[in-house]
Amino acid sequence: MDDQSHDYRIKSRCKNLVTNFNKQLMVEVFKTDVIHHDVADRLIDQIHRTFIGYKANFDLQDCDNILRIKSVTGSVESTHIIYLLKKLGCNAEILEDEVISLL
């Protein structure tokens, strides 16, 4: 391997690392009224089919029956998620961040 092709490979790898680093992982958490695993599985499937680049999961052990959605393609379209769940017979709202003061 000559020096030019070696340099090109290094530059290409660095470019890929920077590109992957700059992709932001966005996460939104929703409080829901989903209590059954079969319903949660159906909703997750529908979310994955409707929103390319979203990864969804439920935590039905949590008191708020949370739906967590991660997106690698940009921000999570919260209003679209809420509308989709409502259309499928479930309610959801954004779970607001709690700021706890240590003072």
Side-chain angles (χ1 to χ4, degrees):
M1 177 183 310
D2 65 2
D3 287 342
Q4 279 186 325
S5 63
H6 180 70
D7 288 346
Y8 173 78
R9 289 182 68 198
I10 289 174
K11 287 178 184 176
S12 178
R13 284 185 181 168
C14 287
K15 182 179 176 183
N16 287 340
L17 285 173
V18 169
T19 300
N20 289 336
F21 180 76
N22 287 332
K23 287 183 183 175
Q24 293 183 353
L25 180 65
M26 302 300 289
V27 177
E28 191 68 78
V29 180
F30 300 87
K31 176 180 179 177
T32 74
D33 63 355
V34 177
I35 57 173
H36 300 290
H37 290 281
D38 58 327
V39 173
D41 291 341
R42 183 173 51 91
L43 293 171
I44 289 170
D45 183 55
Q46 186 64 45
I47 291 167
H48 291 163
R49 284 190 280 129
T50 305
F51 301 97
I52 306 302
Y54 283 17
K55 184 69 177 166
N57 65 61
F58 275 90
D59 181 357
L60 300 181
Q61 300 297 318
D62 185 90
C63 64
D64 291 320
N65 300 320
I66 65 169
L67 166 62
R68 184 179 301 105
I69 299 181
K70 298 177 187 176
S71 171
V72 295
T73 59
S75 62
V76 174
E77 297 293 333
S78 302
T79 55
H80 295 211
I81 294 293
I82 292 168
Y83 176 76
L84 176 65
L85 266 65
K86 186 172 215 58
K87 200 168 94 170
L88 297 171
C90 300
N91 294 303
E93 62 185 67
I94 295 173
L95 188 62
E96 298 296 333
D97 292 333
E98 288 186 30
V99 178
I100 300 172
S101 175
L102 298 176
L103 298 176

